[in-house]
């Protein structure tokens, strides 16, 4: 039996949607180690977190993803800090390091994501055998693919935006509304936001596509100093 996984970070840790031969389920775990330990059999894992950290420049995959999502959703793709900035001791130091390497500081919002970037980066370097099945993706790029390769105009946190995204998911996941409603009712908003659920769902859809349908931003794929791919992956084919 084949299992694929879509993962998004959330307030309580990490939220995942799993698809095992058409059976959909969800999981919330406090750490990436606990989550992936519980899904060691997953064949493909799509996660919304930067994998592969540049040393001295802005990652090309972030730039290309923003280009795809213009003019509506491009701001949802943040510029990933360089590796040494991600591992800085505090926000001020991270800004100084990133400015030295790229000419730009990082935002406070980006710094707040760095603990999760470090968590996954550390896990991947400790589990090199998992690298071939863990893919970085981006939910808005995934929804762009589901929407006929057109960026969505609606914001993911708006009621209209959530309805539009759920409607797109329902074209691929037959019981998308039930799955979404069950996850909504299972966890309080202090742990899990509505858009976290939708993001994990669309990443699971991307993970369920065959590798022949995967498209990589950029091509060829560059790697960082530890051999981790710096790419954003999505499925280009029409999904029905």
């Amino acid at each position: 039996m084949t299992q694929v996984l879509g993962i998004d970070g959330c307030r309580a840790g990490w939220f995942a949607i799993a698809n095992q031969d058409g059976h959909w389920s969800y999981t919330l775990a406090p750490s990436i180690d606990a989550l992936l330990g519980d899904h060691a059999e997953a064949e493909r894992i799509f996660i919304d977190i930067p994998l592969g950290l540049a040393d001295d420049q802005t990652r090309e995959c972030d730039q290309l993803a923003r280009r795809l999502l213009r003019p509506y959703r491009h701001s949802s793709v943040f510029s990933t800090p360089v590796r040494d900035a991600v591992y800085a001791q505090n926000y001020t130091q991270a800004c100084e390091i990133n400015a030295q390497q790229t000419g730009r500081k990082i935002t406070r919002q980006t710094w707040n994501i760095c603990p999760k970037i470090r968590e996954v980066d550390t896990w991947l370097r400790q589990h090199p055998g998992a690298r071939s099945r863990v893919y970085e993706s981006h939910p808005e790029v995934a929804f762009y693919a589901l929407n006929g390769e057109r960026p969505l105009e609606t914001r993911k946190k708006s009621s209209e935006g959530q309805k539009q995204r759920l409607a797109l998911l329902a074209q691929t996941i037959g019981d998308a509304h039930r799955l979404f409603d069950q996850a909504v009712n299972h966890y309080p908003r202090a742990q899990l936001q509505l858009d976290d659920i939708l993001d994990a769902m669309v990443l699971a859809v991307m993970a369920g596509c065959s590798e022949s349908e995967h498209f990589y931003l950029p091509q060829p794929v560059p790697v960082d100093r530890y051999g981790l791919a710096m790419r954003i992956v999505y499925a280009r084919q029409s999904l029905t």
Side-chain angles (χ1 to χ4, degrees), residues 93-113:
Q93 185 185 61
C95 284
E96 292 174 352
I97 293 171
N98 212 71
Q100 289 172 358
Q101 301 299 330
T102 70
R104 287 186 288 186
K105 297 180 179 180
I106 66 173
T107 65
R108 177 68 70 170
Q109 182 181 17
T110 299
W111 171 247
N112 290 339
I113 301 171

Side-chain angles (χ1 to χ4, degrees), residues 9-228:
C10 64
R11 292 176 177 178
W14 300 90
F15 179 73
I17 294 287
N19 176 14
Q20 186 156 328
D21 296 327
H23 175 71
W24 297 82
S25 59
Y26 54 81
T27 307
L28 192 153
S31 70
I32 201 69
D33 185 66
L35 180 60
L36 296 182
D38 289 341
H39 293 84
E41 71 280 13
E43 181 177 304
R44 282 190 300 277
I45 299 164
F46 273 48
I47 185 169
D48 179 23
I49 202 72
L51 309 179
L53 304 173
D55 286 322
D56 57 4
Q57 61 187 349
T58 301
R59 300 193 317 164
E60 186 181 0
C61 59
D62 298 332
Q63 300 174 22
L64 293 174
R66 279 193 291 272
R67 189 180 303 169
L68 281 186
L69 297 177
R70 291 188 185 280
Y72 305 115
R73 303 269 64 81
H74 57 283
S75 62
S76 67
V77 183
F78 67 88
S79 293
T80 304
V82 296
R83 175 172 289 280
D84 290 343
V86 168
Y87 280 88
Q89 294 182 356
N90 53 56
Y91 175 61
T92 300
Q93 185 185 61
C95 284
E96 292 174 352
I97 293 171
N98 212 71
Q100 289 172 358
Q101 301 299 330
T102 70
R104 287 186 288 186
K105 297 180 179 180
I106 66 173
T107 65
R108 177 68 70 170
Q109 182 181 17
T110 299
W111 171 247
N112 290 339
I113 301 171
C114 283
K116 278 187 160 50
I117 299 177
R118 292 194 297 268
E119 183 181 356
V120 178
D121 179 70
T122 299
W123 190 90
L124 280 175
R125 288 192 283 126
Q126 291 174 344
H127 300 81
R131 295 181 184 184
S132 62
R133 59 191 182 95
V134 179
Y135 298 78
E136 175 185 348
S137 191
H138 191 286
E140 289 303 306
V141 173
F143 280 117
Y144 157 92
L146 289 187
N147 196 42
E149 298 198 350
R150 299 186 305 272
L152 275 63
E153 298 183 30
T154 56
R155 296 176 59 253
K156 69 175 185 177
K157 290 188 177 294
S158 69
S159 176
E160 180 185 5
Q162 290 167 0
K163 288 179 181 178
Q164 183 183 22
R165 285 160 177 77
L166 192 54
L168 287 170
L169 288 166
Q171 297 174 13
T172 303
I173 305 174
D175 55 355
H177 288 82
R178 179 194 62 80
L179 181 66
F180 177 75
D181 289 344
Q182 284 183 343
V184 168
N185 294 327
H186 193 99
Y187 303 104
R189 301 292 75 77
Q191 293 182 337
L192 183 68
Q193 297 288 295
L194 302 184
D195 56 289
D196 297 330
I197 303 170
L198 295 169
D199 287 351
M201 288 174 70
V202 76
L203 295 184
V205 169
M206 293 290 109
C209 296
S210 67
E211 292 190 21
S212 64
E213 295 175 313
H214 290 172
F215 187 77
Y216 302 100
L217 301 173
Q219 295 188 81
V221 177
V223 297
D224 71 3
R225 72 170 85 156
Y226 293 106
L228 296 171

